[in-house]
Amino acid sequence: LRPEAALPPLATRRVSRKIMVGSVAVGGDAPVSVQSMTTTLTSDINATLQQIAELTASGCQIVRVAVPSQDDADALPIIARKSHIPVIADIHFQPKYVFAAIDAGCAAVRVNPGNIKKFDDRVGEIAKAAGDAGIPIRIGVNAGSLDARLLKKYGRVTPEALVESALWECSLFEEHGFRDIKISVKHNDPVVMIEAYRQLAAQCDYPLHLGVTEAGPAFQGTIKSAVAFGALLAEGIGDTLRVSLSAPPVEEVKVGNQILESLNLRERGLDIVSCPSCGRAQVDVHTLAEKVAAALEGFPAALRVAVMGCVVNGPGEAREADLGVASGNGKGQIFVKGEVIKTVPESQIVETLVDEAMRIAEERGLD
Ligand code: SF4
């Protein structure tokens, strides 16, 4: 058992209603799930399915597709049928696409009933259609599209405004007896976003979809999301999440999974424990760590690999790793569970670590 696996969770999970997004449970005692959104034109069925396949392979559990046109709505039946993970249709303003998505077999719809009410009040019909089909709806309030009435009331996009907006949107469905809902209240500022989710968590029992909207390019967006999600998940708040990055969606999934693994909310997969390097290092630790990570990407089980720049502290610092290397004098000491098992030339470090990882996989009955 990994030492961290024996630790108690950081917080008691907030009690939320459990909903089903296709085969994936969200809320209640279900594990926190990772979502992403395709960047292809949904009407380009092949490209969209290709991207969904890539997302699925990277560990995405639920995928959302944008449906801004009839062509996109027409593509939904094939996409929903062929995707290996549940597909959520993301719809604004147009009730007809909501009905199309439900008929197409989508696992859920993201729609804000406030928009529908404003333009074509068919909220009751949507509630009935979704209820009959047994699919949930995500109400997604975003800072950028906050209702003008609330903007006027609060003067700016505050946590209170986001929460009031979300609960008002929910009430439009609740009036029709529909409560198969999950909610997001996204803002690009993690401080506002964290407070909004805290308030929302205290005021309802709907499952919550975490997101920092328009988080930015990969580096900035990763940090903003990790900080915001980390704070909330460590308080037991959050049932599913999407990391929004101005980057390929597979990167969003990798970051989301890593956030969950970091908090022990998901079993850790490949965990590279590499030293930061210092004046004692006798090898380029940064390059070596990158090479080891690349060579072991997709390893089929939890594996912690230590990459240490010198033999002074190497094995000792990484005693809890499954295996590792400590470099020195053009060689690498390969160690397993803190014990040096062999020394190899620097050029053979990566392949030796891969061989040892495969041996561990075999021992564990994995291929
Ligand atoms: Fe420095 Fe060695 Fe520690 Fe790496 S393992 S930080 S090289 S002392």
Side-chain angles (χ1 to χ4, degrees):
L1 196 66
R2 283 273 174 76
E4 68 273 6
L7 294 172
L10 288 163
T12 306
R13 180 103 173 257
R14 163 182 170 262
V15 178
S16 63
R17 303 159 65 88
K18 188 188 281 187
I19 64 169
M20 293 303 296
V21 178
S23 56
V24 178
V26 174
D29 59 358
V32 180
S33 49
V34 171
Q35 312 194 15
S36 186
M37 187 166 181
T38 51
T39 55
T40 52
L41 282 176
T42 304
S43 56
D44 186 341
I45 295 173
N46 286 341
T48 302
L49 284 171
Q50 171 66 29
Q51 198 171 56
I52 291 176
E54 289 165 12
L55 286 167
T56 308
S58 68
C60 183
Q61 293 164 289
I62 297 171
V63 66
R64 190 156 43 108
V65 300
V67 187
S69 76
Q70 188 61 48
D71 285 347
D72 300 313
D74 291 343
L76 291 175
I78 297 177
I79 292 171
R81 192 170 73 246
K82 292 200 170 175
S83 170
H84 290 286
I85 53 176
V87 174
I88 299 180
D90 189 285
I91 295 161
H92 287 283
F93 308 115
Q94 299 262 22
K96 64 179 177 178
Y97 300 153
V98 177
F99 298 114
I102 293 170
D103 289 344
C106 288
V109 177
R110 180 270 172 105
V111 67
N112 287 9
N115 293 337
I116 303 283
K117 198 171 173 59
K118 243 182 278 176
F119 295 92
D120 177 5
D121 189 2
R122 299 176 71 188
V123 177
E125 288 171 56
I126 291 174
K128 173 149 185 9
D132 289 348
I135 70 165
I137 289 191
R138 169 155 76 92
I139 290 173
V141 174
N142 273 10
S145 54
L146 188 71
D147 194 76
R149 174 178 59 87
L150 290 166
L151 211 47
K152 193 164 172 229
K153 176 176 172 184
Y154 289 95
R156 61 195 163 85
V157 182
T158 62
E160 291 76 12
L162 289 166
V163 171
E164 185 173 331
S165 176
L167 295 178
W168 172 70
E169 301 263 2
C170 288
S171 75
L172 298 177
F173 277 131
E174 288 162 354
E175 281 170 14
H176 300 281
F178 187 86
R179 285 176 57 83
D180 203 5
I181 294 169
K182 64 189 169 90
I183 313 178
S184 61
V185 278
K186 299 187 181 183
H187 195 287
N188 59 40
D189 183 334
V191 175
V192 178
M193 176 272 195
I194 289 169
E195 183 55 25
Y197 276 96
R198 279 180 178 152
Q199 292 183 15
L200 188 59
Q203 293 181 46
C204 71
D205 68 349
Y206 289 119
L208 301 184
H209 166 120
L210 302 184
V212 177
T213 191
E214 292 117 26
F219 179 74
Q220 179 183 299
T222 296
I223 290 173
K224 276 188 175 182
S225 300
V227 168
F229 296 1
L232 289 164
L233 291 167
E235 294 175 16
I237 297 171
D239 300 290
T240 184
L241 58 86
R242 183 217 173 173
V243 176
S244 300
L245 299 178
S246 304
V250 163
E251 298 305 312
E252 299 185 347
V253 175
K254 286 185 189 167
V255 173
N257 283 326
Q258 195 72 51
I259 290 171
L260 294 181
E261 287 180 23
S262 301
L263 288 168
N264 275 350
L265 292 171
R266 174 168 297 182
E267 187 185 22
R268 293 181 191 183
L270 178 64
D271 190 8
I272 304 286
V273 183
S274 53
C275 81
S277 189
C278 72
R280 273 188 289 268
Q282 293 176 359
V283 67
D284 178 354
V285 179
H286 301 176
T287 303
L288 183 58
E290 295 284 344
K291 282 186 183 168
V292 172
L296 288 171
E297 192 177 349
F299 188 77
L303 186 76
R304 181 176 294 168
V305 183
V307 178
M308 298 292 162
C310 74
V311 292
V312 177
N313 298 320
E317 279 182 3
R319 197 161 282 128
E320 282 164 359
D322 294 301
L323 76 153
V325 60
S327 305
N329 285 336
K331 294 185 179 137
Q333 285 186 342
I334 305 296
F335 52 89
V336 174
K337 293 284 172 201
E339 300 294 328
V340 176
I341 57 157
K342 65 172 92 163
T343 300
V344 299
E346 196 175 314
S347 60
Q348 291 173 21
I349 289 174
V350 177
E351 65 180 84
T352 307
L353 287 175
V354 171
D355 288 347
E356 286 301 318
M358 292 308 158
R359 196 181 52 70
I360 289 171
E362 271 174 38
E363 275 175 17
R364 294 183 190 168
L366 302 159
D367 273 319

